[in-house]
Every structure is written in C-alpha cells, then in structure tokens.
Amino acid sequence: MPTPLIERYGEHLSLEAGDPVVTLNEGSTPLIHSPRLSERVGAEVHLKFEGANPTGSFKDRGMTVAVSRAKGRGAEAVICASTGNTAASAAAYAARAGLRGAVIVPEGKIAVGKLAQALMHGARVIALQGNFDQALTIVRALAESHPIELVNSVNRYRIEGQKTAAYEVCDELGEAPDALAIPVGNAGNVTAYWAGFQDRGASPVLYGFQAEGAAPLVEGHPIDQPETIASAIRIGNPARWEEAMNAFTASRGRVAAVSDQQILDAYRLLASSEGLFCEPASAASVAGLLAHGLPVAEGSEPPGSVVCVLTGHGLKDPDTALGKAPPVIGCEVDLAAVEKAVFD
Ligand code: F0G
C-alpha cells in the first residue's frame, strides 16, 4: 500500500504542525519502461502513470496537501474551476476531510467519468455556460469574497504536492532523467515538476505539449475559444503562464503544439501496444515526443533518457475511447459462431 505522500515527503511541504493529514494514499505511481518507444525515439523512455492515483489523475498529489492545509486552517468548504480532474479530486478529498465542495466546470466539455466522480463524492457541480478560463476567473472572485478555500493550482499547496512526482521519478531512476515530456493546460503541473527537480538539484530539459487548438503558450497570446478533443487541456489562458515559460527557458526546453489527430494516435498506441490506458490529454506527452522528436538543447547532446508523464486514466473518458475504438462483435449462442467470431 502506498505511503501517503505527506508522510513520505512531508519535510519538503510547508504544512503547519497541527494540520490533519487528509489522504487517500496517493502518489508512488508506477514508472514504466517502454522498450517500443525507446527504440522509436532513440532514448530510454519511461512512462509515469499518474492514472494510478486514487481518483485517477495527478491532481491527488496537490489535493492531499491543499485540502489538509485548508482543513488545518479551519476552512469548511473548498471550490475550484476545472476541466474535470481537479473537480473529481477536490470532491474526493473534500469528502474525505468532511468539507463541502463546489466545482465549476465548462458545460458539456468534461469527460463523463470525471463528472460521475465529482457528483458521487457529493460536491455541488455547477456547469458554466462558458469555458475553463472564465470559470477560473469567477472562482477566484468568489474565493476572495467568501470563506471558501480555492484549490486550483493557483493554490501554492497544490504545486508543493505535485512536485513530489519529480522526486519519485528521480528516486526510481536513481537520478533525474535528461528530459521530461508533459502535457500543459493551466501550466501548474510543469511548474510543479520544475520545482521538484530544482529541489533535487536537477535540471532536465522540459518539453511541454499543448493541443493545437488550445496552445496559448506556443502562440504567445491567450486563446479566447480554445478547442481540442483533449478536454482536460482545453485552456486558453493558463494561470501559471509566467512560471511555466520561465521553467521552459531555465531548463533549455520548449513548449510545442500537437494536433488532435497526433494526440489520438498516441492515445491508441499507448493502449494497444503498451497496455497503458490514459486519457487523451495525457497522451499529448507521447504525441509530442513522436511528432517533434527528442528535445535537444543548444550545444548539448540529445537526451539519453526521457520520462513522459501520463497525467490521467483512460477510464475517465469512455466516450472518446468508444468513439475511436473498433466495434464490438455481436454473436449468437453457438459454438461455431463464436469460433468464427474469435478466429476469423
Ligand atoms: N492532463 C490532465 C489529465 C489534466 O487533467 C490536466 C489539467 C493537465 C494534463 C494539464 O495540467 O493544468 O497543470 O498544466 N487539468 C485541470 C483540471 C485543468 O481542471 O482538471 P496543468
């Protein structure tokens, strides 16, 4: 059973002495070597499968810390804007802590599994007739005028918790990888990984990927109406814009865009040839590596080792999976018919 992240890495987190530990035993996720991708890109590729967290995404790392602090300071409720995973995680940790939860999501634009999670955990789910960026602006204003804790990644405890993924990668490999490929939405996670690597005195090349229709960091300006099949990263104005760009620059890395088709191809490849079912947004890290090749910092050798972060579980979004998968084969109760269906 994984040790709660706060117990494992508590000395690097700035929780207060009296804070409770609100945990679902998150973290300690598998780092899986991929011989096929390694051969394809010419470097040792590992996949950090964050879908193995309790609510199925990396958000749990930040949420255990943010909700523990919120509870410690006497908050009675938490709120967030979300493309789905933050909502699911905030709802679960709020339930665990005995706090009320409210989540604001873009109407019709979050994967059905995430919606089911947020509702089952008892959060009040508000479907905003707008996008994530508008939802975030609204929850920021609400949190300023009401006694409710904002648990988006603008909350520093979220970043602190999420940086532990970088610690795990270093601990497992015995050293930092040469490069890290990661999907980028609101830009909290890449900011967190960079903080974690810096804590370890490491500077892997950061290689961030946004979806083509939602690539403000690549285009250099906010996108009013972001669009992508990877709903988790359908974000046009990332809150951690500056920190993320500073991290790309400091690491001598870069941020690039991948098309929805490239995302879907990587999504299918990971499921069908690696046995790893991640959600579409997560596949952006592998899509980017395949589409753009190894990141090579000026004046440096190509990286020998790359970690791709698979941020969330494929079960979150069954609609996209079934929409892209081959059909189920129907069959009558008859040995010969089943034989034909199996072997033909
Ligand atoms: N991958 C997944 C599966 C996500 O859910 C998110 C963000 C990201 C990548 C990007 O991470 O925002 O830190 O750059 N999801 C947020 C949410 C926005 O509301 O669940 P980021």
Side-chain angles (χ1 to χ4, degrees), residues 58-59 81-87 114 132 162 183-190 232-233 235 279 281-282 311-312:
F58 70 94
K59 306 288 181 178
S82 180
T83 56
N85 281 323
T86 301
K114 303 172 187 179
F132 169 85
Q162 285 173 211
V184 178
N186 210 26
N189 209 28
V190 67
I233 52 171
I235 293 176
E279 63 175 286
S282 306
T311 45

PDB file of all heavy atoms in Angstrom, residues 58-59 81-87 114 132 162 183-190 232-233 235 279 281-282 311-312, ligand 1:
ATOM      1  N   PHE A  58      -3.090  12.935 -11.584  1.00  0.00           N
ATOM      2  CA  PHE A  58      -2.027  13.539 -10.771  1.00  0.00           C
ATOM      3  C   PHE A  58      -2.546  14.585  -9.797  1.00  0.00           C
ATOM      4  O   PHE A  58      -1.828  15.002  -8.880  1.00  0.00           O
ATOM      5  CB  PHE A  58      -0.974  14.182 -11.676  1.00  0.00           C
ATOM      6  CG  PHE A  58      -1.441  15.428 -12.396  1.00  0.00           C
ATOM      7  CD1 PHE A  58      -1.204  16.688 -11.870  1.00  0.00           C
ATOM      8  CD2 PHE A  58      -2.129  15.346 -13.596  1.00  0.00           C
ATOM      9  CE1 PHE A  58      -1.640  17.841 -12.523  1.00  0.00           C
ATOM     10  CE2 PHE A  58      -2.574  16.484 -14.253  1.00  0.00           C
ATOM     11  CZ  PHE A  58      -2.330  17.734 -13.713  1.00  0.00           C
ATOM     12  N   LYS A  59      -3.777  15.028  -9.984  1.00  0.00           N
ATOM     13  CA  LYS A  59      -4.317  16.101  -9.136  1.00  0.00           C
ATOM     14  C   LYS A  59      -4.309  15.711  -7.666  1.00  0.00           C
ATOM     15  O   LYS A  59      -4.248  16.575  -6.791  1.00  0.00           O
ATOM     16  CB  LYS A  59      -5.738  16.443  -9.553  1.00  0.00           C
ATOM     17  CG  LYS A  59      -5.903  16.784 -11.013  1.00  0.00           C
ATOM     18  CD  LYS A  59      -5.318  18.127 -11.362  1.00  0.00           C
ATOM     19  CE  LYS A  59      -5.530  18.423 -12.839  1.00  0.00           C
ATOM     20  NZ  LYS A  59      -5.026  19.732 -13.232  1.00  0.00           N
ATOM     21  N   ALA A  81     -12.373  25.692 -10.202  1.00  0.00           N
ATOM     22  CA  ALA A  81     -12.815  25.613 -11.599  1.00  0.00           C
ATOM     23  C   ALA A  81     -12.089  24.415 -12.167  1.00  0.00           C
ATOM     24  O   ALA A  81     -10.970  24.119 -11.738  1.00  0.00           O
ATOM     25  CB  ALA A  81     -12.397  26.866 -12.353  1.00  0.00           C
ATOM     26  N   SER A  82     -12.691  23.733 -13.123  1.00  0.00           N
ATOM     27  CA  SER A  82     -11.996  22.537 -13.589  1.00  0.00           C
ATOM     28  C   SER A  82     -12.466  22.053 -14.945  1.00  0.00           C
ATOM     29  O   SER A  82     -13.631  22.177 -15.309  1.00  0.00           O
ATOM     30  CB  SER A  82     -12.192  21.407 -12.566  1.00  0.00           C
ATOM     31  OG  SER A  82     -11.533  20.244 -12.987  1.00  0.00           O
ATOM     32  N   THR A  83     -11.502  21.457 -15.677  1.00  0.00           N
ATOM     33  CA  THR A  83     -11.858  20.728 -16.889  1.00  0.00           C
ATOM     34  C   THR A  83     -12.218  19.282 -16.532  1.00  0.00           C
ATOM     35  O   THR A  83     -12.420  18.464 -17.409  1.00  0.00           O
ATOM     36  CB  THR A  83     -10.687  20.746 -17.895  1.00  0.00           C
ATOM     37  OG1 THR A  83      -9.523  20.207 -17.241  1.00  0.00           O
ATOM     38  CG2 THR A  83     -10.389  22.156 -18.390  1.00  0.00           C
ATOM     39  N   GLY A  84     -12.249  18.957 -15.247  1.00  0.00           N
ATOM     40  CA  GLY A  84     -12.759  17.653 -14.811  1.00  0.00           C
ATOM     41  C   GLY A  84     -11.952  16.955 -13.736  1.00  0.00           C
ATOM     42  O   GLY A  84     -12.493  16.544 -12.715  1.00  0.00           O
ATOM     43  N   ASN A  85     -10.651  16.827 -13.944  1.00  0.00           N
ATOM     44  CA  ASN A  85      -9.865  16.054 -12.976  1.00  0.00           C
ATOM     45  C   ASN A  85      -9.679  16.758 -11.636  1.00  0.00           C
ATOM     46  O   ASN A  85      -9.740  16.115 -10.579  1.00  0.00           O
ATOM     47  CB  ASN A  85      -8.494  15.712 -13.562  1.00  0.00           C
ATOM     48  CG  ASN A  85      -8.578  14.549 -14.511  1.00  0.00           C
ATOM     49  OD1 ASN A  85      -9.338  13.606 -14.274  1.00  0.00           O
ATOM     50  ND2 ASN A  85      -7.821  14.600 -15.608  1.00  0.00           N
ATOM     51  N   THR A  86      -9.467  18.061 -11.683  1.00  0.00           N
ATOM     52  CA  THR A  86      -9.351  18.792 -10.423  1.00  0.00           C
ATOM     53  C   THR A  86     -10.661  18.694  -9.662  1.00  0.00           C
ATOM     54  O   THR A  86     -10.677  18.539  -8.430  1.00  0.00           O
ATOM     55  CB  THR A  86      -8.993  20.274 -10.683  1.00  0.00           C
ATOM     56  OG1 THR A  86      -7.765  20.315 -11.402  1.00  0.00           O
ATOM     57  CG2 THR A  86      -8.822  21.052  -9.385  1.00  0.00           C
ATOM     58  N   ALA A  87     -11.767  18.755 -10.384  1.00  0.00           N
ATOM     59  CA  ALA A  87     -13.090  18.652  -9.759  1.00  0.00           C
ATOM     60  C   ALA A  87     -13.248  17.299  -9.067  1.00  0.00           C
ATOM     61  O   ALA A  87     -13.683  17.227  -7.913  1.00  0.00           O
ATOM     62  CB  ALA A  87     -14.182  18.844 -10.812  1.00  0.00           C
ATOM     63  N   LYS A 114     -15.324  11.866 -15.019  1.00  0.00           N
ATOM     64  CA  LYS A 114     -14.957  12.922 -14.059  1.00  0.00           C
ATOM     65  C   LYS A 114     -16.212  13.528 -13.439  1.00  0.00           C
ATOM     66  O   LYS A 114     -16.241  13.832 -12.247  1.00  0.00           O
ATOM     67  CB  LYS A 114     -14.138  13.999 -14.776  1.00  0.00           C
ATOM     68  CG  LYS A 114     -12.893  13.451 -15.455  1.00  0.00           C
ATOM     69  CD  LYS A 114     -12.190  14.502 -16.320  1.00  0.00           C
ATOM     70  CE  LYS A 114     -11.053  13.862 -17.104  1.00  0.00           C
ATOM     71  NZ  LYS A 114     -10.356  14.814 -17.981  1.00  0.00           N
ATOM     72  N   PHE A 132     -13.195  26.991 -19.346  1.00  0.00           N
ATOM     73  CA  PHE A 132     -12.431  26.874 -18.096  1.00  0.00           C
ATOM     74  C   PHE A 132     -11.881  28.220 -17.632  1.00  0.00           C
ATOM     75  O   PHE A 132     -11.926  28.546 -16.445  1.00  0.00           O
ATOM     76  CB  PHE A 132     -11.273  25.881 -18.287  1.00  0.00           C
ATOM     77  CG  PHE A 132     -10.301  25.906 -17.138  1.00  0.00           C
ATOM     78  CD1 PHE A 132     -10.533  25.155 -15.995  1.00  0.00           C
ATOM     79  CD2 PHE A 132      -9.161  26.709 -17.185  1.00  0.00           C
ATOM     80  CE1 PHE A 132      -9.657  25.200 -14.914  1.00  0.00           C
ATOM     81  CE2 PHE A 132      -8.273  26.760 -16.115  1.00  0.00           C
ATOM     82  CZ  PHE A 132      -8.526  26.000 -14.982  1.00  0.00           C
ATOM     83  N   GLN A 162       2.301  18.441  -5.940  1.00  0.00           N
ATOM     84  CA  GLN A 162       2.573  17.874  -7.269  1.00  0.00           C
ATOM     85  C   GLN A 162       4.066  17.752  -7.574  1.00  0.00           C
ATOM     86  O   GLN A 162       4.467  16.922  -8.379  1.00  0.00           O
ATOM     87  CB  GLN A 162       1.848  18.703  -8.336  1.00  0.00           C
ATOM     88  CG  GLN A 162       0.355  18.409  -8.349  1.00  0.00           C
ATOM     89  CD  GLN A 162      -0.470  19.312  -9.256  1.00  0.00           C
ATOM     90  OE1 GLN A 162      -1.616  19.584  -8.962  1.00  0.00           O
ATOM     91  NE2 GLN A 162       0.106  19.778 -10.348  1.00  0.00           N
ATOM     92  N   PRO A 183       2.123  17.077 -20.772  1.00  0.00           N
ATOM     93  CA  PRO A 183       1.033  17.895 -21.323  1.00  0.00           C
ATOM     94  C   PRO A 183       0.889  19.183 -20.506  1.00  0.00           C
ATOM     95  O   PRO A 183       1.115  19.155 -19.294  1.00  0.00           O
ATOM     96  CB  PRO A 183      -0.218  17.029 -21.143  1.00  0.00           C
ATOM     97  CG  PRO A 183       0.204  15.769 -20.494  1.00  0.00           C
ATOM     98  CD  PRO A 183       1.619  15.887 -20.071  1.00  0.00           C
ATOM     99  N   VAL A 184       0.485  20.252 -21.153  1.00  0.00           N
ATOM    100  CA  VAL A 184       0.352  21.538 -20.465  1.00  0.00           C
ATOM    101  C   VAL A 184      -1.033  22.131 -20.715  1.00  0.00           C
ATOM    102  O   VAL A 184      -1.458  22.266 -21.863  1.00  0.00           O
ATOM    103  CB  VAL A 184       1.433  22.536 -20.945  1.00  0.00           C
ATOM    104  CG1 VAL A 184       1.255  23.887 -20.257  1.00  0.00           C
ATOM    105  CG2 VAL A 184       2.827  21.988 -20.668  1.00  0.00           C
ATOM    106  N   GLY A 185      -1.717  22.456 -19.612  1.00  0.00           N
ATOM    107  CA  GLY A 185      -3.023  23.097 -19.709  1.00  0.00           C
ATOM    108  C   GLY A 185      -2.980  24.428 -18.974  1.00  0.00           C
ATOM    109  O   GLY A 185      -2.634  25.460 -19.535  1.00  0.00           O
ATOM    110  N   ASN A 186      -3.278  24.366 -17.678  1.00  0.00           N
ATOM    111  CA  ASN A 186      -3.220  25.573 -16.862  1.00  0.00           C
ATOM    112  C   ASN A 186      -1.789  25.852 -16.404  1.00  0.00           C
ATOM    113  O   ASN A 186      -1.521  26.820 -15.715  1.00  0.00           O
ATOM    114  CB  ASN A 186      -4.159  25.413 -15.658  1.00  0.00           C
ATOM    115  CG  ASN A 186      -4.734  26.732 -15.197  1.00  0.00           C
ATOM    116  OD1 ASN A 186      -4.857  27.676 -15.975  1.00  0.00           O
ATOM    117  ND2 ASN A 186      -5.096  26.805 -13.931  1.00  0.00           N
ATOM    118  N   ALA A 187      -0.883  24.941 -16.747  1.00  0.00           N
ATOM    119  CA  ALA A 187       0.562  25.082 -16.543  1.00  0.00           C
ATOM    120  C   ALA A 187       1.014  24.941 -15.087  1.00  0.00           C
ATOM    121  O   ALA A 187       2.137  25.298 -14.750  1.00  0.00           O
ATOM    122  CB  ALA A 187       1.077  26.387 -17.148  1.00  0.00           C
ATOM    123  N   GLY A 188       0.159  24.374 -14.248  1.00  0.00           N
ATOM    124  CA  GLY A 188       0.548  24.123 -12.869  1.00  0.00           C
ATOM    125  C   GLY A 188       1.488  22.933 -12.758  1.00  0.00           C
ATOM    126  O   GLY A 188       2.463  22.965 -11.994  1.00  0.00           O
ATOM    127  N   ASN A 189       1.219  21.878 -13.513  1.00  0.00           N
ATOM    128  CA  ASN A 189       1.996  20.656 -13.320  1.00  0.00           C
ATOM    129  C   ASN A 189       3.442  20.800 -13.782  1.00  0.00           C
ATOM    130  O   ASN A 189       4.354  20.332 -13.122  1.00  0.00           O
ATOM    131  CB  ASN A 189       1.310  19.474 -14.011  1.00  0.00           C
ATOM    132  CG  ASN A 189       1.587  18.156 -13.334  1.00  0.00           C
ATOM    133  OD1 ASN A 189       1.828  18.118 -12.121  1.00  0.00           O
ATOM    134  ND2 ASN A 189       1.566  17.077 -14.087  1.00  0.00           N
ATOM    135  N   VAL A 190       3.642  21.477 -14.906  1.00  0.00           N
ATOM    136  CA  VAL A 190       5.026  21.645 -15.368  1.00  0.00           C
ATOM    137  C   VAL A 190       5.777  22.542 -14.379  1.00  0.00           C
ATOM    138  O   VAL A 190       6.964  22.315 -14.086  1.00  0.00           O
ATOM    139  CB  VAL A 190       5.076  22.188 -16.829  1.00  0.00           C
ATOM    140  CG1 VAL A 190       4.562  23.608 -16.949  1.00  0.00           C
ATOM    141  CG2 VAL A 190       6.497  22.084 -17.378  1.00  0.00           C
ATOM    142  N   ALA A 232      -9.303  17.907 -21.093  1.00  0.00           N
ATOM    143  CA  ALA A 232      -8.589  18.262 -19.861  1.00  0.00           C
ATOM    144  C   ALA A 232      -7.670  19.463 -20.057  1.00  0.00           C
ATOM    145  O   ALA A 232      -7.395  20.212 -19.121  1.00  0.00           O
ATOM    146  CB  ALA A 232      -7.785  17.074 -19.341  1.00  0.00           C
ATOM    147  N   ILE A 233      -7.170  19.648 -21.268  1.00  0.00           N
ATOM    148  CA  ILE A 233      -6.237  20.753 -21.523  1.00  0.00           C
ATOM    149  C   ILE A 233      -6.834  21.780 -22.490  1.00  0.00           C
ATOM    150  O   ILE A 233      -6.119  22.453 -23.222  1.00  0.00           O
ATOM    151  CB  ILE A 233      -4.851  20.244 -22.007  1.00  0.00           C
ATOM    152  CG1 ILE A 233      -4.981  19.275 -23.194  1.00  0.00           C
ATOM    153  CG2 ILE A 233      -4.106  19.576 -20.861  1.00  0.00           C
ATOM    154  CD1 ILE A 233      -3.635  18.923 -23.850  1.00  0.00           C
ATOM    155  N   ILE A 235      -7.686  24.854 -22.534  1.00  0.00           N
ATOM    156  CA  ILE A 235      -7.448  26.043 -21.708  1.00  0.00           C
ATOM    157  C   ILE A 235      -6.756  27.109 -22.558  1.00  0.00           C
ATOM    158  O   ILE A 235      -5.777  26.812 -23.252  1.00  0.00           O
ATOM    159  CB  ILE A 235      -6.582  25.656 -20.481  1.00  0.00           C
ATOM    160  CG1 ILE A 235      -7.400  24.721 -19.564  1.00  0.00           C
ATOM    161  CG2 ILE A 235      -6.116  26.894 -19.711  1.00  0.00           C
ATOM    162  CD1 ILE A 235      -6.654  24.173 -18.373  1.00  0.00           C
ATOM    163  N   GLU A 279      -5.886   9.064 -20.532  1.00  0.00           N
ATOM    164  CA  GLU A 279      -6.888   9.879 -21.217  1.00  0.00           C
ATOM    165  C   GLU A 279      -6.213  10.662 -22.349  1.00  0.00           C
ATOM    166  O   GLU A 279      -4.986  10.775 -22.382  1.00  0.00           O
ATOM    167  CB  GLU A 279      -7.626  10.773 -20.239  1.00  0.00           C
ATOM    168  CG  GLU A 279      -6.792  11.808 -19.529  1.00  0.00           C
ATOM    169  CD  GLU A 279      -7.676  12.718 -18.680  1.00  0.00           C
ATOM    170  OE1 GLU A 279      -8.367  13.561 -19.269  1.00  0.00           O
ATOM    171  OE2 GLU A 279      -7.681  12.576 -17.447  1.00  0.00           O
ATOM    172  N   ALA A 281      -5.702  13.817 -23.141  1.00  0.00           N
ATOM    173  CA  ALA A 281      -4.766  14.898 -22.783  1.00  0.00           C
ATOM    174  C   ALA A 281      -3.414  14.339 -22.369  1.00  0.00           C
ATOM    175  O   ALA A 281      -2.362  14.901 -22.692  1.00  0.00           O
ATOM    176  CB  ALA A 281      -5.339  15.751 -21.658  1.00  0.00           C
ATOM    177  N   SER A 282      -3.438  13.222 -21.658  1.00  0.00           N
ATOM    178  CA  SER A 282      -2.190  12.630 -21.163  1.00  0.00           C
ATOM    179  C   SER A 282      -1.300  12.172 -22.308  1.00  0.00           C
ATOM    180  O   SER A 282      -0.073  12.245 -22.227  1.00  0.00           O
ATOM    181  CB  SER A 282      -2.499  11.421 -20.280  1.00  0.00           C
ATOM    182  OG  SER A 282      -3.397  11.763 -19.267  1.00  0.00           O
ATOM    183  N   THR A 311      -0.818  11.787 -17.412  1.00  0.00           N
ATOM    184  CA  THR A 311      -1.410  12.516 -16.297  1.00  0.00           C
ATOM    185  C   THR A 311      -2.716  11.946 -15.723  1.00  0.00           C
ATOM    186  O   THR A 311      -3.017  12.151 -14.556  1.00  0.00           O
ATOM    187  CB  THR A 311      -1.658  13.965 -16.738  1.00  0.00           C
ATOM    188  OG1 THR A 311      -2.262  13.926 -18.049  1.00  0.00           O
ATOM    189  CG2 THR A 311      -0.378  14.759 -16.818  1.00  0.00           C
ATOM    190  N   GLY A 312      -3.501  11.249 -16.559  1.00  0.00           N
ATOM    191  CA  GLY A 312      -4.795  10.764 -16.068  1.00  0.00           C
ATOM    192  C   GLY A 312      -5.210   9.459 -16.725  1.00  0.00           C
ATOM    193  O   GLY A 312      -4.731   9.104 -17.807  1.00  0.00           O
TER     194      GLY A 312
HETATM  195  N1  F0G B   1      -3.502  16.250 -18.054  1.00  0.00           N
HETATM  196  C1  F0G B   1      -4.680  16.090 -17.451  1.00  0.00           C
HETATM  197  C2  F0G B   1      -5.310  14.743 -17.482  1.00  0.00           C
HETATM  198  C3  F0G B   1      -5.294  17.177 -16.795  1.00  0.00           C
HETATM  199  O1  F0G B   1      -6.469  16.991 -16.190  1.00  0.00           O
HETATM  200  C4  F0G B   1      -4.657  18.431 -16.819  1.00  0.00           C
HETATM  201  C5  F0G B   1      -5.280  19.583 -16.178  1.00  0.00           C
HETATM  202  C6  F0G B   1      -3.423  18.530 -17.454  1.00  0.00           C
HETATM  203  C7  F0G B   1      -2.879  17.428 -18.069  1.00  0.00           C
HETATM  204  C8  F0G B   1      -2.658  19.806 -17.508  1.00  0.00           C
HETATM  205  O2  F0G B   1      -2.108  20.130 -16.273  1.00  0.00           O
HETATM  206  O3  F0G B   1      -3.216  22.307 -15.960  1.00  0.00           O
HETATM  207  O4  F0G B   1      -1.295  21.630 -14.542  1.00  0.00           O
HETATM  208  O5  F0G B   1      -0.965  22.197 -16.949  1.00  0.00           O
HETATM  209  N2  F0G B   1      -6.438  19.584 -15.697  1.00  0.00           N
HETATM  210  C9  F0G B   1      -7.034  20.687 -14.918  1.00  0.00           C
HETATM  211  C10 F0G B   1      -8.367  20.273 -14.344  1.00  0.00           C
HETATM  212  C11 F0G B   1      -7.031  21.983 -15.601  1.00  0.00           C
HETATM  213  O6  F0G B   1      -9.215  21.142 -14.093  1.00  0.00           O
HETATM  214  O7  F0G B   1      -8.574  19.096 -14.111  1.00  0.00           O
HETATM  215  P1  F0G B   1      -1.866  21.656 -15.905  1.00  0.00           P
END
